[in-house]
């Protein structure tokens, strides 16, 4: 996903932005900009907002006194939702100007499922799963694709115990599913 710059500034900048974009890579937001004629620029302050009204400084990049220059800034986002980034440009005289705004959307990283012990030792397995929704369930599926067990999961839980003692030796799949997510892990019964 690439961010799109919008809301052009009304002040004349002491430089020209030929590019100001952003992209999301996992939870890392990468801002990329290119300038021309930035001879009087001292530094760029990277600012973040989640509401387009209050911006907070999250980093600083010193300007390079070249005719054409590219810059990059990375920010690890811990919040989900829309993130609005802009650059506060400070010139050598201390005057400040603002770049256009780049909007990026951050998604919360998915919780991963785990099953232990694996291989199954005493017949009881514990499944750690994403927070269960209202219609969550666990299934145990054999190598032949047959569903051997369906077990409801309590809404709001993140861990469920399953009795797998009656399984014969082999490889099985444990599947967790609710209205939002479906995850699976392979397990082994010795």
């Amino acid at each position: 996903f690439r961010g799109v710059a919008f809301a052009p500034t009304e002040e004349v900048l002491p430089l020209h932005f030929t590019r100001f974009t952003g992209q999301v890579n996992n939870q890392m937001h990468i801002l990329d900009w290119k300038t021309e004629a930035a001879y009087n620029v001292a530094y760029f302050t990277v600012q973040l907002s989640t509401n387009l009204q209050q911006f907070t400084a999250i980093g600083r990049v010193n300007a390079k006194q070249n005719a054409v220059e590219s810059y990059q800034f990375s920010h690890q986002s811990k919040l989900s939702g829309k993130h609005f980034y802009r650059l506060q440009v400070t010139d050598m005289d201390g005057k400040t100007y603002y770049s256009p705004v780049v909007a990026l959307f951050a998604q919360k990283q998915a919780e991963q499922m785990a099953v232990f012990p694996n291989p199954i030792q005493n017949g009881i397995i514990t499944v750690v799963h994403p927070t269960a929704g209202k219609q969550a369930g666990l299934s145990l599926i054999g190598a032949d694709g047959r569903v051997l067990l369906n077990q409801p999961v309590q809404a709001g839980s993140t861990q469920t115990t399953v009795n797998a003692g009656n399984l014969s030796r082999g490889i099985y799949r444990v599947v967790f599913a609710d209205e939002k997510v479906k995850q699976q892990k392979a397990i082994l019964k010795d």
Side-chain angles (χ1 to χ4, degrees), residues 32-60:
D32 184 37
W33 66 98
K34 185 175 183 179
T35 61
E36 289 181 356
Y39 294 112
N40 194 34
V41 175
Y43 57 89
F44 303 92
T45 304
V46 181
Q47 297 182 334
L48 169 67
S49 174
T50 55
N51 61 13
L52 273 177
Q53 295 173 9
Q54 297 174 312
F55 282 85
T56 303
I58 59 168
R60 179 175 155 162

Side-chain angles (χ1 to χ4, degrees), residues 29-186:
H29 292 189
I30 302 166
L31 301 175
D32 184 37
W33 66 98
K34 185 175 183 179
T35 61
E36 289 181 356
Y39 294 112
N40 194 34
V41 175
Y43 57 89
F44 303 92
T45 304
V46 181
Q47 297 182 334
L48 169 67
S49 174
T50 55
N51 61 13
L52 273 177
Q53 295 173 9
Q54 297 174 312
F55 282 85
T56 303
I58 59 168
R60 179 175 155 162
V61 177
N62 289 328
K64 302 170 190 168
Q65 301 300 313
N66 298 322
V68 176
E69 196 62 59
S70 293
Y71 300 88
Q72 193 173 73
F73 180 84
S74 297
H75 174 240
Q76 186 167 2
S77 171
K78 295 184 180 13
L79 303 172
S80 60
K82 283 205 174 181
H83 290 62
F84 301 99
Y85 293 93
R86 73 178 181 189
L87 302 173
Q88 180 185 44
V89 182
T90 303
D91 70 17
M92 297 291 193
D93 301 325
K95 292 180 186 171
T96 58
Y97 309 87
Y98 294 93
S99 72
V101 173
V102 168
L104 297 177
F105 185 77
Q107 294 181 341
K108 191 175 183 180
Q109 195 168 15
E111 300 171 70
Q112 296 298 311
M113 181 175 139
V115 180
F116 59 92
N118 190 6
I120 300 169
Q121 294 171 357
N122 65 2
I124 302 295
I125 59 172
T126 301
V127 181
V128 178
H129 49 75
T131 305
K134 293 179 183 177
Q135 299 174 11
L138 283 173
S139 298
L140 193 58
I141 301 172
D144 60 359
R146 286 185 307 128
V147 177
L148 305 173
L149 171 82
N150 276 320
Q151 179 174 321
V153 174
Q154 183 176 349
S157 69
T158 58
Q159 182 173 308
T160 303
T161 302
V162 176
N163 184 349
N166 59 349
L167 297 177
S168 54
R169 292 176 58 132
I171 298 173
Y172 300 88
R173 282 186 297 138
V174 177
V175 179
F176 169 83
D178 68 6
E179 55 275 5
K180 295 180 186 174
V181 69
K182 181 176 181 178
Q183 294 184 5
Q184 59 186 337
K185 289 283 184 187

